[in-house]
Amino acid sequence: MLPAFSVIFLTTLIGVGQGLFLALFTAQSYALFDLLPKQDGPSFYAYGSAVALLFLLGGLVASFFHLGRPERAWRSATQWRTSWLSREVIVLPAFIGTVFLYGVAHLLEWKPVLATLPGGAAIDATVVLGAIGTLLAFALYLCTGMIYACLRFLREWHTPLTVINYVLLGGASGFTLAAAFAALAAPDLERFFAGWALIILLLGFVGRVAALIRNRRLKPKSTPQSAIGIKHPRIVQATQGFMGGSFNTREFFHDRSRGLLRSIKWLFLAGAFAVPALLLAAGLSGAAEFLAAAFVVQYLGLIAERWFFFAEANHPQNLYYQSVA
Amino acid sequence: MTQLALVIDLNVCVGCQACVTNCKEWNTSGEAGPMVDQNPYGKDPTGTFFNRVQTFEVGEFPNTETVHFPKSCLHCEDPPCVPVCPTGASYKRQEDGIVLVDYDKCIGCKYCSWACPYGVREFDEAQKIMKKCTLCVDRIYDAKMTAEERRPACVRACPTSARLFGDIHDPESEVSHAIREAGGYQLMPEWGTSPANHYLPRRKTRLRIREDELERADNPLKIDGQLPKPGKAEPSLDDVTSW
């Protein structure tokens, strides 16, 4: 497949936004049970939500560049019964709205207590909004991942690992950003976020490498024999029927060498996993200035990771477009 | 239930591209708007087509065979491109099984083309929407045309009658007979999409002669030759019958 930068930015940016929100609410939940120091004043959660919103809106804007007819985008919410893309179109704005309300509730310190847990922890409006937002964040990861995982023809994507990796990689980048943000806004949370970021990053590394190994062993289900229905071991296309290229030759081929693909793979393994893990470890041991660098490197690495994710997928339609003559 | 479809006889197709040309001509002048080309006279002409004729070489020289292979939307009975569409622009008609794109609803996200293993959907770079074969839905129901004309443009154009058109759910239709009797098959059956379009395989006409057909059955002595000439004194037919 040809990696489309609109989709690369959409999936990586909203992944960061979701992860950052999950990080914020995780900290709030810990604080609720007195496992972490409570944050005085509205600034940490409110500004954190604002940063998450920036990433989510950035992803939303990027998604419009993928559409041929963006003015009709509202129609894409109608087929939620069958289409994961349609479900994402519904969940993304719902999540953005919830993050906005969560941030506003913190900013205005609108915290009416709705219930009290037996332990004495007060469930206020921000906790309820945060819980709804958490559900929506995971729903959004599921939708984004399933858009790719549900396409059974693209066997590199048709695996639960696709969804798992969207959750883990998005979560890791969000927690890393939360750590970098906490270094500025709430230094007492910095180690908490950096620690979780490192754990999720390592889990994400395991998931991504598992996907790489799985895809390496894939044998194509479709062959030239099944494509044209002729049983002969040697079938070669003489012509695809045209010379100047078509949508089918542009959308499904990246036209890059295997060597470049391999370089990108090592680049993202280093950029999205190895280097940020080292920087996070440095941040954990007290050097907070590395945390921002960890996020920047990781985000660039994730762009490479997503590029590779698309380029790696081999569409069976390519069997019909092998020879220009 | 009706399922309209094409049956393409690979044994007959000569790869002349007439179906490609006539398809483009009919559909670019149709009510759905033109199928615009880019650089039509330039170095890399490209554009949207509903139908392509490809050529494959089967076997190794000198035992090769050239197979011309027309490919358009197969109008799957279980079309994977339809449920993924987020707007409902891509749909399968209940009444005749044609898979269509509503050009007014399509947002051009190209997701349906990812979900098609056959690569038969083509994005129109000028209108920014997805397009595909309509089985000439604007032709086959046109009451102003004669029955002979109410067939897809590609079928009308084929000079060798390699393309048949009809209802594959009607067991007595021409296409059902062809599929049943000439070994019609579907492309990429491994995906379970159940394409409605079928292909008829290449067939070799071979003369099969058995050994005993080369020999006279009433030749018990295995001697083939002229019968012995009767003697002059033997009675001839003239002696036993009056002509």
Side-chain angles (χ1 to χ4, degrees):
Chain A
M1 304 288 291
L2 177 73
F5 276 96
S6 51
V7 181
I8 291 175
F9 281 115
L10 162 69
T11 56
T12 50
L13 286 173
I14 64 172
V16 173
Q18 287 157 265
L20 177 56
F21 175 80
L22 289 174
L24 293 177
F25 187 63
T26 308
Q28 193 188 351
S29 307
Y30 271 59
L32 190 65
F33 296 102
D34 295 320
L35 299 168
L36 278 178
K38 282 200 167 55
Q39 296 304 309
D40 299 325
S43 60
F44 179 71
Y45 294 117
Y47 295 151
S49 302
V51 175
L53 274 177
L54 279 182
F55 277 88
L56 292 167
L57 292 173
L60 187 64
V61 170
S63 74
F64 277 90
F65 285 94
H66 189 65
L67 302 183
R69 295 284 196 133
E71 74 276 13
R72 297 175 181 169
W74 60 273
R75 285 186 183 276
S76 58
T78 57
Q79 300 301 308
W80 50 271
R81 285 181 199 81
T82 59
S83 172
W84 282 103
L85 181 52
S86 190
R87 288 169 199 162
E88 185 187 44
V89 165
I90 295 170
V91 176
L92 179 57
F95 179 62
I96 290 178
T98 309
V99 175
F100 176 74
L101 291 179
Y102 177 80
V104 166
H106 271 293
L107 187 68
L108 304 179
E109 305 213 52
W110 183 71
K111 294 179 179 175
V113 175
L114 303 171
T116 311
L117 290 184
I123 304 296
D124 61 30
T126 58
V127 178
V128 174
L129 282 170
I132 296 171
T134 302
L135 285 178
L136 287 172
F138 278 104
L140 186 52
Y141 279 132
L142 179 71
C143 292
T144 312
M146 280 307 289
I147 286 174
Y148 307 101
C150 78
L151 296 172
R152 61 187 195 273
F153 315 111
L154 286 153
R155 301 187 62 221
E156 290 82 354
W157 299 348
H158 187 53
T159 157
L161 285 172
T162 301
V163 178
I164 293 171
N165 288 340
Y166 269 90
V167 175
L168 292 174
L169 300 187
S173 57
F175 270 79
T176 311
L177 180 60
F181 176 64
L184 299 172
D188 47 351
L189 294 180
E190 174 195 306
R191 288 174 57 82
F192 171 75
F193 288 131
W196 273 115
L198 195 56
I199 292 169
I200 303 171
L201 186 67
L202 293 177
L203 289 175
F205 178 73
V206 172
R208 195 65 184 90
V209 170
L212 285 177
I213 292 171
R214 170 192 179 272
N215 293 348
R216 235 179 123 132
R217 296 168 160 208
L218 277 183
K219 284 206 178 69
K221 234 179 187 176
S222 288
T223 58
Q225 286 74 22
S226 75
I228 66 169
I230 293 176
K231 302 263 183 300
H232 193 287
R234 187 175 180 280
I235 295 177
V236 180
Q237 188 172 52
T239 164
Q240 59 189 5
F242 50 91
M243 299 181 76
S246 74
F247 169 72
N248 306 80
T249 62
R250 291 187 292 267
E251 178 80 358
F252 298 94
F253 293 88
H254 51 73
D255 292 330
R256 299 288 191 278
S257 67
R258 279 170 178 280
L260 182 80
L261 229 64
R262 213 170 313 129
S263 319
I264 299 276
K265 183 174 77 184
W266 288 108
L267 187 73
F268 90 68
L269 285 174
F273 299 104
V275 178
L278 290 176
L279 291 170
L280 279 171
L284 265 179
S285 59
E289 59 276 15
F290 286 122
L291 292 173
F295 174 72
V296 172
V297 173
Q298 185 176 24
Y299 185 73
L300 295 175
L302 282 180
I303 290 178
E305 187 275 334
R306 219 41 56 88
W307 188 93
F308 184 84
F309 173 80
F310 286 102
E312 187 193 26
N314 196 15
H315 201 289
Q317 76 109 40
N318 295 3
L319 293 168
Y320 294 109
Y321 300 94
Q322 292 293 324
S323 168
V324 177
Chain B
M1 275 287 283
T2 307
Q3 173 65 63
L4 297 180
L6 297 172
V7 172
I8 296 165
D9 193 344
L10 297 184
N11 200 41
V12 181
C13 178
V14 292
C16 69
Q17 312 270 340
C19 54
V20 179
T21 314
N22 208 34
C23 166
K24 179 88 172 185
E25 190 281 329
W26 173 261
N27 285 295
T28 201
S29 26
E31 57 191 32
M35 292 154 70
V36 186
D37 294 325
Q38 287 80 45
N39 297 323
Y41 307 105
K43 182 160 162 275
D44 288 316
T46 180
T48 313
F49 283 75
F50 292 170
N51 182 28
R52 306 274 193 184
V53 176
Q54 311 188 317
T55 302
F56 291 85
E57 193 176 78
V58 177
E60 198 133 12
F61 183 82
N63 297 317
T64 51
E65 197 156 326
T66 304
V67 178
H68 301 294
F69 180 81
K71 180 168 79 83
S72 55
C73 172
L74 306 171
H75 299 279
C76 297
E77 302 205 36
D78 188 6
C81 53
V82 168
V84 300
C85 175
T87 67
S90 203
Y91 65 105
K92 186 174 178 70
R93 283 165 44 123
Q94 284 295 320
E95 62 267 36
D96 53 16
I98 300 179
V99 178
L100 287 178
V101 178
D102 185 335
Y103 296 158
D104 293 331
K105 281 187 185 166
C106 177
I107 56 170
C109 70
K110 305 173 186 167
Y111 194 32
C112 55
S113 71
W114 294 8
C116 170
Y118 305 103
V120 292
R121 289 176 165 253
E122 297 199 13
F123 188 71
D124 191 309
E125 299 289 353
Q127 291 182 32
K128 298 288 178 196
I129 49 172
M130 194 56 75
K131 294 194 167 180
K132 63 179 283 301
C133 162
T134 65
L135 271 185
C136 286
V137 71
D138 52 348
R139 230 192 125 88
I140 57 178
Y141 294 111
D142 190 343
K144 292 198 290 296
M145 290 184 172
T146 63
E148 175 64 16
E149 286 173 321
R150 284 202 294 269
R151 292 184 300 156
C154 57
V155 177
R156 294 270 296 154
C158 182
T160 59
S161 302
R163 304 176 78 96
L164 308 175
F165 169 68
D167 174 14
I168 59 162
H169 282 183
D170 171 9
E172 292 312 314
S173 68
E174 183 193 19
V175 284
S176 293
H177 273 284
I179 293 169
R180 208 159 54 230
E181 288 158 17
Y185 64 87
Q186 297 170 320
L187 303 184
M188 292 189 184
E190 62 271 22
W191 298 117
T193 54
S194 191
N197 283 11
H198 282 65
Y199 286 78
L200 303 183
R202 303 280 284 205
R203 296 179 289 282
K204 283 269 161 70
T205 310
R206 288 206 172 83
L207 200 57
R208 289 178 200 276
I209 301 173
R210 298 190 304 275
E211 273 296 299
D212 63 329
E213 286 173 323
L214 292 170
E215 228 170 60
R216 262 177 49 200
D218 55 348
N219 184 20
L221 298 179
K222 308 282 178 199
I223 300 166
D224 246 336
Q226 294 216 307
L227 290 171
K229 232 176 179 177
K232 288 276 189 317
E234 305 265 318
S236 69
L237 271 182
D238 293 334
D239 298 320
V240 293
T241 179
S242 60
W243 293 93

